[in-house]
Amino acid sequence: MSALGFGCWAIGGEHRTADGQPVGWGKVDDEESVRAVRRALDLGVTFFDTADSYGTGHSEEILAKALGKRRDDVVLATKWGNVFDADTRTLTGTDATPEYARRALTASLRRLGTDRVDLYQLHISDADPVRAAELRDACEEFVAEGLVRAYGWSTDDPARAAVFAKGPHCTAVQHTLNVLQDAPDVVALCERLELASVNRGPLAMGLLAGRRGGPLEAGDIRSRPPAWLPGYAADGSGADPEWLARIDAVRSVLTSDGRSLAQGALAWLWARSPRAVPIPGFRTVAQAEENAGALAKGPLTPAQSAEIDRLLGR
């Protein structure tokens, strides 16, 4: 698996919650998405992370189309737990039962055009730990049946992640981690148990890719950010000035050695932990090329990482 993965949330296109809250990244060009995935493959990216709820199935279908006969060249990750209506592109709730996990897996395998998922992840971040233990056991059954190779939990809670980590085939925790949002407890858990630290939000929802301000299109989750999405103003006016100021404080370090801001943010993650596997989102070939370009430049130096900590006051 490559040290860099690509997150496929954005290429799922628009979808929303039952009360109309956008949870996608706005409109997408499916053909451009396909070209971007294939370009990433050509540049050495072999890990792709999606979820059944992204675009209510659309992300999985686009990823399958892009990979085609190269499916065996990649590590394919998806998630389950959110219930949705694909016809209306609406999320309708969650289901943490083992029975639903099997139905969701069957549907994901069909959309992905494959006979197994390499990394299957629980997508309910705050699921009850007792119920999660049942889901962990269900994942072990999926592994025994050859439907899943490994599994993990997408959660920022190290105690919950530890529940899944007790399973023999649990190999990863997916959690928020970026220059502005460190997660020392989850990183420590991953390092101690030799789990992959799959980093969602590595570019802080675009802020560490250079996004500055201005309103966003109506179908973009950042135009009406939910409480769990910091960095953007609640009134829809765009980036939070305080976050932009923190980025400006570390910009010169991140962009040293010829890196773009996004490449520096990814380099910080690799320096943060040897277990880190960032999964930046993308919608265009240009974004795929820029993100993949970070692989050749490698991690920041210990001195650069220490300077960033100093500048951010931590």
Side-chain angles (χ1 to χ4, degrees):
M1 185 171 84
S2 54
L4 176 69
F6 270 27
C8 300
W9 179 12
I11 66 172
E14 293 185 89
H15 55 295
R16 60 200 60 81
T17 60
D19 61 358
Q21 163 72 45
V23 284
W25 287 64
K27 294 180 175 62
V28 287
D29 177 339
D30 290 343
E31 292 307 313
E32 179 71 0
S33 298
V34 167
R35 287 190 292 268
V37 169
R38 291 174 177 169
R39 182 64 177 140
L41 270 169
D42 291 340
L43 293 171
V45 176
T46 60
F47 176 49
F48 292 88
D49 175 88
T50 186
D52 59 0
S53 61
Y54 295 163
T56 59
H58 191 64
S59 175
E60 289 183 328
E61 292 170 345
I62 291 299
L63 188 55
K65 179 180 179 180
L67 293 176
K69 294 180 179 179
R70 300 182 71 178
R71 188 272 174 257
D72 291 343
D73 297 339
V74 305
V75 173
L76 197 53
T78 193
K79 311 180 197 75
W80 92 95
N82 289 298
V83 182
F84 52 86
D85 182 336
D87 292 335
T88 61
R89 289 206 166 204
T90 303
L91 303 186
T92 57
T94 59
D95 191 330
T97 64
E99 295 76 17
Y100 181 72
R102 184 173 290 276
R103 293 201 302 275
L105 175 57
T106 300
S108 283
L109 290 171
R110 175 179 51 78
R111 284 188 295 264
L112 289 165
T114 186
D115 61 355
R116 84 278 184 199
V117 169
D118 298 311
L119 177 63
Y120 201 39
Q121 301 158 105
L122 177 59
H123 207 181
I124 309 172
S125 62
D126 59 352
D128 175 78
V130 174
R131 175 51 59 86
E134 297 174 1
L135 294 174
R136 177 196 65 214
D137 294 342
C139 285
E140 285 293 332
E141 293 178 13
F142 300 154
V143 171
E145 294 169 30
L147 302 174
V148 166
R149 291 181 60 198
Y151 58 86
W153 192 344
S154 179
T155 180
D156 293 322
D157 179 1
R160 282 181 165 84
V163 171
F164 257 39
K166 292 178 181 178
H169 293 91
C170 178
T171 62
V173 181
Q174 183 169 145
H175 63 100
T176 299
L177 185 67
N178 60 56
V179 174
L180 305 179
Q181 295 172 283
D182 199 3
D185 292 341
V186 186
V187 171
L189 176 79
C190 292
E191 292 182 347
R192 186 172 74 252
L193 300 180
E194 298 186 346
L195 302 171
S197 164
V198 180
N199 311 141
R200 61 175 134 78
L203 303 181
M205 304 294 280
L207 297 178
L208 286 164
R211 180 166 188 89
R212 297 298 294 177
L216 297 114
E217 62 178 292
D220 191 319
I221 189 172
R222 297 169 295 180
S223 69
R224 291 173 53 193
W228 54 263
L229 198 167
Y232 286 86
D235 63 4
S237 59
D240 183 332
E242 185 176 317
W243 279 58
L244 293 179
R246 293 167 68 202
I247 291 170
D248 287 340
V250 297
R251 182 181 300 273
S252 63
V253 182
L254 293 177
T255 57
S256 59
D257 303 318
R259 293 182 176 93
S260 69
L261 180 63
Q263 290 169 347
L266 297 172
W268 179 86
L269 288 160
W270 291 320
R272 176 67 181 82
S273 172
R275 311 300 303 181
V277 184
I279 50 169
F282 65 101
R283 280 191 282 187
T284 67
V285 170
Q287 289 170 337
E289 290 176 341
E290 180 179 3
N291 292 340
L295 285 166
K297 298 179 183 297
L300 296 183
T301 66
Q304 289 169 328
S305 294
E307 176 66 3
I308 284 174
D309 284 340
R310 186 189 70 78
L311 291 167
L312 292 177
R314 62 190 187 201

